[in-house]
Amino acid sequence: MIIDERMVTYINSLDTGHTPFLENLERTAKQDRVPVIRREMQSFLKVLLLLKRPKRILEIGTAVAFSAILMSEYTEEDCIIDTIENYEKRIQKAKENIRCAGKEGRIHLLEGDAMEWMRKLSGPYDVIFVDAAKAQYLSYFPEVIRLLKKGGMLISDNVLQEGGIMESRFAVERRDRTIHSRMREYLYLIKHDKRLETAVVPIGDGASVSIKKE
């Protein structure tokens, strides 16, 4: 927990909720132990989308399509969302959820490896939302920056690893050290890359918001 759990509980108690479909999808995902973006991150993402008003979004990491469907609810009807997922079991569930939500015309599910897909995409995208394998954020960056429109917004989720990112790598369990070091390198990169202006926010499991300079 990055900030006090009681504070998170209080903030989330103010939440006004979503459509019945999204509420049920979130509940089912949690029951099935499928990770979805945390409630406070959902609120943050909604505000960012309403500010940005994107026409094209790329999401890296669909899971069961909860966040893609959420983003479709807080963007205009002409906004198209391309979302990439590599895990076959989740792909089928994501397809079903997109269909049941009536979003097949707006959400395009790209099946397969994220890097392979990004190399084939031409962009530009107004918003890119990265919520996939944490050790790969650094690898994705060159293609992400290529595909992001000037003035576009890059949103990266789960970047603070329950607060563990501030610890020395020797204080992190050995199995987590690669992710820890790669995420620290990623955060340094997006804060120091001259093409971006980036804020790292201790919300949910940590998020960063970057704007590609004009």
Side-chain angles (χ1 to χ4, degrees):
M1 181 64 63
I2 300 170
I3 62 174
D4 185 87
E5 188 171 357
R6 290 175 59 217
M7 180 62 75
V8 173
T9 300
Y10 172 69
I11 291 169
N12 289 341
S13 75
L14 302 172
D15 195 274
T16 54
H18 307 303
T19 63
F21 181 86
L22 275 169
E23 292 287 346
N24 183 64
L25 177 53
E26 181 180 28
R27 189 162 47 248
T28 302
K30 287 180 177 178
Q31 289 170 355
D32 295 339
R33 298 190 175 185
V34 176
V36 295
I37 56 176
R38 300 186 190 194
R39 202 75 175 188
E40 58 271 31
M41 181 60 189
Q42 295 169 28
S43 296
F44 188 48
L45 181 59
K46 289 189 288 187
V47 170
L48 292 175
L49 292 173
L50 289 169
L51 284 170
K52 187 61 183 170
R53 306 180 74 84
K55 296 301 182 185
R56 291 190 75 195
I57 298 174
L58 174 63
E59 177 185 43
I60 305 170
T62 312
V64 293
F66 174 83
S67 51
I69 296 169
L70 176 72
M71 289 190 288
S72 75
E73 293 289 342
Y74 292 89
T75 48
E76 302 292 336
E77 286 295 322
D78 60 348
C79 176
I80 298 300
I81 301 168
D82 293 330
T83 180
I84 307 172
E85 180 57 51
N86 194 36
Y87 185 29
E88 182 60 35
K89 197 171 182 180
R90 289 182 182 165
I91 286 170
Q92 297 310 311
K93 192 63 180 174
K95 284 181 178 178
E96 180 184 336
N97 289 332
I98 292 166
R99 179 180 56 78
C100 290
K103 302 290 185 178
E104 292 170 295
R106 294 186 55 201
I107 301 174
H108 302 155
L109 180 58
L110 310 178
E111 304 175 34
D113 181 76
M115 283 298 296
E116 291 181 11
W117 268 112
M118 282 191 285
R119 287 173 182 142
K120 291 187 283 188
L121 294 171
S122 58
Y125 289 93
D126 303 297
V127 170
I128 299 180
F129 180 46
V130 184
D131 186 22
K134 308 305 170 273
Q136 298 304 315
Y137 283 26
L138 196 60
S139 301
Y140 296 152
F141 183 75
E143 290 301 319
V144 164
I145 199 73
R146 178 183 69 83
L147 291 168
L148 187 63
K149 182 179 181 179
K150 286 185 177 179
M153 181 182 293
L154 165 62
I155 307 167
S156 308
D157 198 16
N158 304 119
V159 297
L160 296 182
Q161 301 177 332
E162 299 285 354
I165 199 73
M166 66 183 177
E167 304 292 348
S168 161
R169 70 185 301 272
F170 299 107
V172 177
E173 289 189 38
R174 187 179 295 273
R175 64 180 180 177
D176 297 327
R177 286 179 183 173
T178 298
I179 294 175
H180 177 269
S181 61
R182 288 179 68 81
M183 185 58 77
R184 286 182 69 134
E185 191 174 346
Y186 176 73
L187 289 173
Y188 185 89
L189 175 62
I190 60 175
K191 284 291 290 183
H192 289 81
D193 191 299
K194 295 186 184 302
R195 295 168 291 183
L196 299 175
E197 192 62 52
T198 297
V200 180
V201 185
I203 189 170
D205 192 26
S208 63
V209 180
S210 308
I211 302 297
K212 187 174 179 181
K213 297 176 183 177
E214 297 284 355

